[in-house]
Amino acid sequence: MATPTIEYTFREIGLQSAALPPVVFEAFSLPASNQRILGPPHSSDTVSPLALRASYHGATVPNLDGAISTVKSLQKNNTLTRKLAEHGTLLFRDLPIHNAEDFSKFSHAFGFRPHEDTGIIIDRPLIAPNVAPADEAPKEVLIYSHSESPETPHAPKYIFLYSHRAPEISGETPISSSIELFQRVKDEIPDFIATVASKGILNCVIYKVAAQYPGGSTLFEQAFSKEIVEGDDAATRKAKVEAQIRRYNRDDHTTCEWTDDDDTLIVTYHLPIVRVHPVTKQPALFTWLAAYYKSYLAPGIPDLRRRNATQQLYGDGAPIPEEYLKKLADITDEIRVLHKWQRGDVLVYDNVVAQHGRQPREGEQSDRVVLASLWDGVAPASSKEVREIGQRQSRQLQVNCRWGLRKLQWRPRLLVHASPHG
């Protein structure tokens, strides 16, 4: 029996360049396990992901510069940004991307503003300009469907994921609609939506000086490292962390407490989880509550350190009933697909519209290598701010590559200096 696929009538987008071989992106269908038609309130023929194959029309060698030129041309009218708002996720296939540097160039072509991770609870060492490993968690760990960084006030608008090495079995990346999730939850557990819409959520995040679990971040080196430099004493490091927490001007909605002789910092953010997309004006559930249940609370979770890294409450401090969290996960299971990676694939998510994650897998840890690039949208930053971001990332990249050469030999060799054949 033939594998069922989703047919989509959108065929081709692209602009030809006189200076480079013409490149267009042609829509194609994926197996139904990898692509689905989204439910209400999306339009009835909206597929996710929208799968686009790069076509080079006569060029003997696929040309990354040509693909980048086409992306830049399309983005002059925000064509791809609008497609992201509509479909939530774009899949780019058959791009001549072979390593972290190629991926960095492609993601920069969209013209978005680089995102700076602040307050993250996972380790993301920079390995190319605005590129880091998507996750460092052990392969057995489930990273359930979630919006990116909903636990902090500073979340990226766009997520780029690139498959440098694709596993043969499992290790898929989920794709689901936060907008469809909102509609389903509103219909099936309206009391929950009414409560979170009026009260918001308290995200209680626990940071440790040392990593709490494999793949987790450290307090000073990763979570709040922006201004910390070698030689800072303990009091200075603490003051710089607190300054990072205050930078979003949310003092009335944020509290922090140092405990365990300053080995632990507990930060509680009061945040909305109902977000309205600025383009489509549709409400979305911007959250990781289902992931909180599946990855931290569901029976059988073996790693208690992960359970203790965060806590989720209603905005007034009341606990969220577990049956609501389970229902969120059940609905997410029904509306998601699992993207089966091919080497070189690039997935681009609109972070308000779509959720992502990672399925556990067998085999070796190195069988799956996915890189991430996070962005803050098209609003122009000042030239000074862009320069400062670039300088900070350059310093971090130099430190991480030196650290990688010393401690993780595979990382710079495999990702930064990989040959076209991996």
Side-chain angles (χ1 to χ4, degrees):
M1 179 180 296
T3 302
T5 60
I6 300 295
E7 293 295 335
Y8 183 58
T9 56
F10 173 83
R11 298 319 310 161
E12 184 176 289
I13 54 178
L15 296 177
Q16 296 189 2
S17 168
L20 295 165
V23 178
V24 297
F25 298 118
E26 298 174 339
F28 67 101
S29 296
L30 297 169
S33 59
N34 293 30
Q35 185 183 50
R36 65 185 289 267
I37 296 176
L38 299 177
H42 294 281
S43 300
S44 59
D45 62 347
T46 304
V47 297
S48 189
L50 173 58
L52 300 171
R53 178 178 285 117
S55 176
Y56 301 90
H57 287 313
T60 56
V61 178
N63 187 289
L64 180 59
D65 288 339
I68 288 172
S69 178
T70 294
V71 168
K72 290 181 176 180
S73 297
L74 291 168
Q75 283 295 81
K76 288 179 180 179
N77 297 317
N78 290 323
T79 298
L80 297 176
T81 303
R82 292 197 303 271
K83 290 295 179 185
L84 280 165
E86 179 184 357
H87 297 269
T89 308
L90 305 181
L91 165 66
F92 291 90
R93 182 161 286 174
D94 295 342
L95 292 167
I97 293 178
H98 305 295
N99 52 43
E101 296 291 344
D102 290 345
F103 175 50
S104 176
K105 292 175 184 177
F106 179 76
S107 60
H108 275 81
F110 283 69
F112 298 146
R113 177 181 173 184
H115 174 78
E116 289 189 275
D117 275 330
T118 300
I120 58 173
I121 59 174
I122 63 172
D123 182 16
R124 280 205 181 114
L126 200 67
I127 57 175
N130 212 42
V131 171
D135 63 79
E136 298 281 71
K139 57 187 174 58
E140 301 87 358
V141 172
L142 168 69
I143 303 175
Y144 194 71
S145 300
H146 63 282
S147 307
E148 180 63 33
S149 302
E151 78 280 9
T152 72
H154 182 49
K157 288 184 172 62
Y158 299 101
I159 315 298
F160 287 65
L161 299 177
Y162 153 64
S163 175
H164 183 75
R165 180 170 291 175
E168 293 184 5
I169 301 174
S170 197
E172 301 94 344
T173 290
I175 299 171
S176 59
S177 167
S178 303
I179 290 171
E180 183 178 0
L181 178 64
F182 174 88
Q183 186 64 48
R184 284 284 304 274
V185 173
K186 180 174 178 291
D187 292 341
E188 298 179 33
I189 43 175
D191 289 347
F192 171 78
I193 290 294
T195 302
V196 295
S198 63
K199 297 181 179 180
I201 290 290
L202 288 182
N203 288 320
C204 181
V205 186
I206 299 173
Y207 302 93
K208 294 280 190 178
V209 170
Q212 300 180 67
Y213 53 83
S217 68
T218 61
L219 174 59
F220 294 119
E221 285 76 17
Q222 282 121 24
F224 295 104
S225 62
K226 179 181 176 183
E227 302 295 341
I228 294 173
V229 297
E230 187 175 356
D232 284 345
D233 60 24
T236 300
R237 287 155 71 91
K238 283 180 59 180
K240 288 184 175 180
V241 166
E242 292 169 1
Q244 287 297 299
I245 295 170
R246 290 194 301 270
R247 68 186 285 208
Y248 301 109
N249 298 317
R250 302 188 77 260
D251 290 350
D252 294 340
H253 303 286
T254 305
T255 62
C256 60
E257 176 186 6
W258 294 91
T259 64
D260 300 332
D261 294 326
D262 295 340
D263 182 68
T264 301
L265 175 65
I266 303 172
V267 182
T268 302
Y269 301 101
H270 186 193
L271 297 167
I273 71 167
V274 178
R275 308 285 178 95
V276 176
H277 194 276
V279 174
T280 67
K281 308 303 180 184
Q282 293 176 324
L285 271 185
F286 189 79
T287 179
W288 68 341
L289 285 176
Y292 174 64
Y293 172 75
K294 294 283 266 192
S295 302
Y296 295 78
L297 300 182
I301 301 300
D303 194 339
L304 294 179
R305 293 169 295 177
R306 293 182 65 83
R307 291 185 185 222
N308 295 333
T310 185
Q311 185 180 20
Q312 308 286 289
L313 303 166
Y314 283 134
D316 59 2
I320 303 171
E322 187 169 329
E323 61 265 29
Y324 286 177
L325 299 176
K326 182 179 184 302
K327 186 64 173 178
L328 283 171
D330 290 343
I331 294 173
T332 301
D333 283 340
E334 294 173 15
I335 67 173
R336 71 177 185 164
V337 294
L338 299 178
H339 177 68
K340 179 66 175 175
W341 286 104
Q342 292 187 16
R343 193 191 188 286
D345 280 356
V346 174
L347 285 177
V348 186
Y349 291 78
D350 183 312
N351 196 31
V352 174
V353 182
Q355 296 190 344
H356 65 286
R358 190 200 72 181
Q359 292 296 99
R361 67 189 187 282
E362 299 179 358
E364 300 297 325
Q365 183 77 10
S366 60
D367 289 346
R368 180 188 190 273
V369 179
V370 174
L371 306 186
S373 187
L374 310 183
W375 300 87
D376 281 346
V378 295
S382 68
S383 56
K384 177 183 178 182
E385 188 172 5
V386 170
R387 184 169 61 252
E388 289 176 348
I389 291 173
Q391 290 171 346
R392 283 194 295 271
Q393 289 200 347
S394 178
R395 289 194 298 270
Q396 184 185 351
L397 178 58
Q398 292 172 9
V399 169
N400 287 338
C401 283
R402 288 198 298 270
W403 178 81
L405 285 167
R406 188 168 63 249
K407 292 188 177 180
L408 287 179
Q409 292 292 329
W410 64 270
R411 182 177 292 143
R413 183 177 69 248
L414 176 62
L415 302 180
V416 179
H417 304 297
S419 72
H421 302 292

